[in-house]
């Protein structure tokens, strides 16, 4: 075996899509180069638990190179790719370093979308990375600190008001978890206010929560949140976000803390390709996840807009879809790479297309509360929550992480406490336009 | 009981000193106001394990207000105190907010000292806070990432060279832990270098390591480090630190990563008092830890220079000393606060002075390696290491933290892995003067 004839498979992104491509190539005679801007694979479904102090960053993040410790045909680099040159078959890093590919898999994921208002991001952070979640946790915890030091009742109430924009799974989970954090964990710790009065408002532009799930689950989620004391506002569109709060038409909601979970936008890398994108900036791929005209270049996961070969519907932007696309493309490259690069069998039209198998959808609302759609059946409450917990533990990568997450949940569940209530630095230091308001002199204790 | 006549005890700092003062006041008829710039109490002796990816920040940090959840006479504020006005009996926050005190305990701790070279801090971070430890972890891990992407052997070797300045407990623990991180955890994960060749250099200006411990323990620590492959340089003074490395007279050690554990300097708050300070900026207190002329103002822990009433020697800047001073001052205030503020029994001269009880000193070097001085007896090796582990678990605050730290150690010990290898953001973004060198084009894998 002459090493120089081994083709190079470059994978951009170490998320659910990218790592599964690499895993499927473990026996293939290829060199795999996996590039990611961070050094860790992130279990995004539990990111909201880092933001609400249940878990710590290391519980849901795992070093990518550790995953491939024993798979010697994979080399991992921490690198930010800013451009892809399809004509020259290279990917380009921030500093100009180029990596040549024979096969390319773009699995760069998506960021938060502010629907044409990027300036809102400074005030209303989204939740896509560990850094985002740490920052949100700091903001939420600092709001309680500010309330303790505040003597003006109206300003204090604004500190204790939390607005979550977007009624998808992240928004539902986040608003439930913030209310629980306030009631279970924070309440006994403060002297100058009743943390149970913390006011969480969940704003959704559409007519129901969790619109990818069944009507029954949407309604169950809404009922559960309202019983917990979360204010749910449907058919409500945010028209402005600034330091003082949120605008909804002419109504202003005064708050310190706006969290954004309202929409996604594919990685800006997609724009550098010069291929057709959909309205969310996603790469419109063929039936085999390849790019039109480039049978050895694929886009998978949240960066792609793929159509299921079986149902002819759009593949949803969820983890299982990214995993399945990763497996599909990995197997495809493993098979075709045997033929050599001059072979014509890498023909997009001849490939069996990608089909998404929907195993069901789960969303959690809080302690012993969740909803599940499994085929035509809908579950809610404790059983759905147990199922949610098992599924999430099962798909977490790494023995240590599974043990620690399970233990973190057990402690949190039994002791009604949140273990990771650590504010790192100044949680507002990255806010660009924030004007620090005057703090009123403290009342004598 | 009329609430307005209760005296206010202000405590600055939620470290080992401050929290023990507050705990001892649990039955006293006083209002306790505890002020800290962060929201958490930090178990500093294990900070180096966060820096070397064994533990996560939440394992060794605990919300201060959670400690006093049930002690209703304590109110905790997150506040940075910048000035103390003894004449007016107020402490002043950054934003001008003032808090009046009847009794004051200054327990603000110490920061890193760069011996008149504050500009070195940007290149050689110290290790006093959770943020410091996270930053060091990011730097150390990023150095390995840079080595993987580097094709020039000399530059690669510089990425894999780590210089630790200061041979006290922190420097010894840190250099041993970095070498272990490289050998145990990192080595199988990289393709382009042998992580076992990572070169750790520990530099100490004095003639021996751990100069607060016995000669036998100093020698044992040095032997153990050298057997692990750490280069120990005694009687060596660092004369310069810059982006390219460390200067020792005319010798330059080329390295990316310089970590500073060489000296401490009391909180700058001490300077605002207008009382005599020692050469490290510490407040020179009387036999009862009070300030000369202010019998109701105390300084304890690392911010104070106290003399033991029994041995007439300086009380060392270690955790047990801070705890004991906290207990002493807490009991003293609890007793004297009964008399009322107009009473003259708060007389410094009439008080029994503070005596430090030295229970022994422990320092760990690595996996199953530690040294212990207990009275006249010295231990080393596995027994000392077990003792070190038990003592540190025992004094950790919080059930959750004890369980997670013990589990983290067990996993780390059994699996030879480091669980928290997460780089958050750009670990070098806070480096002020760093010049990003050109990265050579990557070799084909």
């Amino acid at each position: 075996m002459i090493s120089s004839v081994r083709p190079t498979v470059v994978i951009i992104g170490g998320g659910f899509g990218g790592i599964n491509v690499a895993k499927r190539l473990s026996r293939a005679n290829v060199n795999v180069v996996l590039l990611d801007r961070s050094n860790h694979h992130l279990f995004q479904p539990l990111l909201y638990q880092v933001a609400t102090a249940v878990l710590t960053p290391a519980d849901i993040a795992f070093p990518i190179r550790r995953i491939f410790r024993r798979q010697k045909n994979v080399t991992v680099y921490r690198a930010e790719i800013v451009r892809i040159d399809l004509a020259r078959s290279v990917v380009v890093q921030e500093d100009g370093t180029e990596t040549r590919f024979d096969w390319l898999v773009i699995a760069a994921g998506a960021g938060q979308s502010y629907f044409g208002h990027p300036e809102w991001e400074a005030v209303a952070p989204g939740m896509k990375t560990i850094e985002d979640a740490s920052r949100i946790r700091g903001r939420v915890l600092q709001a309680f600190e500010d309330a303790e030091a505040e003597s003006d009742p109206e300003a204090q109430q604004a500190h204790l008001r939390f607005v979550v924009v977007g009624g998808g799974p992240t928004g539902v989970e986040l608003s439930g978890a913030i209310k629980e954090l306030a009631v279970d964990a924070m309440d006994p710790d403060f002297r100058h206010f009743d943390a149970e009065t913390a006011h969480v408002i969940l704003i959704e532009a559409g007519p129901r929560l969790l619109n990818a799930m069944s009507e029954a689950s949407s309604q169950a989620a809404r009922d559960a949140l309202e019983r917990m004391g979360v204010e749910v506002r449907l058919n409500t569109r945010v028209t402005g976000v600034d330091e003082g709060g949120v605008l909804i038409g002419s109504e202003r909601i005064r708050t310190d803390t706006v969290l954004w979970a309202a929409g996604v936008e594919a990685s800006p890398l997609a724009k550098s390709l010069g291929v057709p994108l959909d309205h969310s900036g996603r790469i419109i791929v063929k039936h085999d996840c390849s790019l039109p005209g480039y049978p050895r270049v694929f886009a998978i996961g949240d960066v792609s807009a793929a159509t299921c070969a079986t149902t002819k519907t759009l593949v949803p932007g969820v983890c299982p879809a990214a995993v399945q696309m990763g497996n599909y493309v990995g197997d495809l490259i493993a098979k075709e790479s045997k033929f050599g690069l001059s072979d014509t069998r890498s023909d997009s039209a001849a490939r069996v297309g990608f089909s998404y198998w929907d195993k069901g959808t789960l969303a959690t609302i809080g302690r012993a509360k969740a909803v599940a759609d499994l085929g035509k059946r809908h579950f809610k409450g404790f059983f759905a929550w147990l199922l949610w917990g098992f599924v999430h533990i099962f798909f977490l990568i790494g023995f240590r992480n599974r043990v620690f997450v399970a233990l973190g949940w057990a402690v949190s569940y039994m002791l009604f406490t949140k273990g990771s209530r650590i504010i790192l630095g100044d949680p507002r230091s990255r806010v660009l336009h924030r004007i620090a308001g005057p703090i009123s002199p403290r009342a004598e204790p």
Side-chain angles (χ1 to χ4, degrees), chain A:
Chain A
M1 189 176 70
I2 302 154
S3 146
S4 62
V5 301
R6 288 182 115 186
T8 297
V9 181
V10 169
I11 302 168
I12 304 174
F16 288 102
I19 60 166
N20 282 293
V21 173
K23 281 182 176 178
R24 289 291 170 129
L25 292 170
S26 63
R27 288 143 180 266
N29 189 25
V30 294
N31 290 316
V32 179
V33 177
L34 179 51
L35 306 165
D36 196 289
R37 69 167 75 165
S38 71
N39 79 327
H40 49 268
H41 168 73
L42 176 64
F43 195 72
Q44 276 190 350
L46 293 179
L47 207 45
Y48 81 96
Q49 293 205 343
V50 172
T52 53
V54 177
L55 298 177
T56 86
D59 291 337
I60 62 162
F62 199 78
I64 296 170
R65 55 177 77 259
R66 177 102 168 80
I67 300 172
F68 298 104
R69 166 173 283 211
R70 291 197 175 80
Q71 189 178 331
K72 299 294 182 191
N73 69 345
V74 178
T75 310
V76 178
Y77 294 107
R78 186 177 185 209
E80 170 112 42
I81 303 301
V82 292
R83 200 163 56 79
I84 298 167
D85 189 333
L86 290 176
R88 292 176 48 232
S89 292
V90 292
V91 300
V92 187
Q93 289 179 39
E94 254 178 328
D95 61 358
T97 305
E98 297 187 344
T99 308
R100 202 189 55 77
F101 60 82
D102 298 306
W103 300 82
L104 175 66
V105 183
I106 307 164
Q112 216 76 54
S113 164
Y114 288 86
F115 307 118
H117 292 277
E119 73 278 11
W120 294 355
E121 186 176 6
V123 185
M127 199 168 62
K128 284 286 168 189
T129 65
I130 277 285
E131 290 84 356
D132 290 343
S134 300
R135 188 157 62 118
I136 289 179
R137 182 183 64 194
R139 290 251 199 134
V140 170
L141 297 176
Q142 184 61 42
F144 286 93
E145 298 290 331
D146 291 343
E148 182 79 339
E150 180 62 67
S151 54
D152 173 55
E154 205 182 324
Q156 192 180 57
Q157 200 52 53
H159 291 311
L160 294 173
R161 189 173 292 121
F162 301 90
V163 174
V164 178
V165 185
T170 302
V172 166
E173 288 165 351
L174 202 48
S175 50
I178 292 172
K179 187 70 192 182
E180 265 186 357
L181 173 72
V183 173
D184 293 350
M186 303 301 254
D187 195 49
D189 289 8
F190 291 87
R191 303 287 179 252
H192 293 164
F193 61 88
D194 186 352
E196 294 194 24
T197 65
H199 184 194
V200 181
I201 306 175
L202 176 59
I203 297 177
E204 164 58 37
R208 63 187 180 99
L209 300 177
L210 302 173
N211 71 9
M213 294 189 71
S214 64
E215 288 271 3
S217 290
S218 290
Q219 189 60 45
R222 182 183 174 178
D223 291 348
L225 282 174
E226 289 181 340
R227 273 197 305 274
M228 289 167 74
V230 173
E231 182 181 341
V232 178
R233 294 213 194 172
L234 302 175
N235 301 305
T236 304
R237 197 171 289 276
V238 169
T239 53
V241 179
D242 61 27
E243 294 82 21
V246 169
L247 271 177
I248 298 167
S250 61
E251 182 193 356
R252 167 175 279 284
I253 302 176
R254 199 178 156 193
T255 175
D256 275 6
T257 317
V258 186
L259 306 177
W260 197 263
V264 294
E265 196 168 53
S267 162
L269 204 52
K271 289 198 192 95
S272 77
L273 289 163
V275 298
L277 309 177
D278 79 352
H279 64 283
S280 298
R282 296 180 299 186
I283 303 161
I284 300 170
V285 294
K286 296 179 71 176
H287 68 295
D288 58 348
C289 300
S290 74
L291 270 58
Y294 297 93
R296 291 197 180 102
V297 177
F298 303 87
I300 62 173
D302 286 355
V303 80
S304 78
T307 303
C308 174
T310 311
T311 63
K312 309 294 176 198
T313 57
L314 204 67
V315 178
V318 295
C319 292
V323 171
Q324 291 175 31
M325 289 165 108
N327 290 341
Y328 167 85
V329 168
D331 287 343
L332 199 153
I333 297 174
K335 193 178 112 197
E336 296 187 7
S337 60
K338 290 178 194 153
F339 308 144
L341 291 168
S342 52
D343 195 279
T344 53
R345 269 169 287 189
S346 284
D347 174 11
S348 176
R351 291 170 183 159
V352 175
F354 169 73
S355 283
Y356 170 60
W357 179 35
D358 185 358
K359 295 178 196 170
T361 314
L362 292 158
T364 184
I365 298 133
R367 198 180 160 79
K369 293 183 206 71
V371 289
D373 289 347
L374 303 176
K376 298 262 170 261
R377 306 188 64 175
H378 318 303
F379 301 92
K380 63 180 180 179
F382 188 71
F383 172 74
W385 180 77
L386 269 188
L387 185 67
W388 174 90
F390 279 116
V391 166
H392 283 75
I393 290 280
F394 186 77
F395 284 104
L396 251 186
I397 280 181
F399 164 76
R400 180 191 187 276
N401 294 37
R402 283 185 201 146
V403 170
F404 276 67
V405 167
L407 194 71
W409 286 348
V411 167
S412 189
Y413 188 84
M414 288 184 301
L415 304 185
F416 282 94
T417 182
K418 310 290 168 189
S420 308
R421 276 163 47 196
I422 309 306
I423 303 176
L424 285 175
D426 179 356
R428 287 181 179 143
S429 62
R430 282 163 72 189
V431 178
L432 305 177
H433 309 289
R434 189 170 190 91
I435 299 152
I439 296 178
S440 51
R442 171 166 308 146
E444 286 288 308

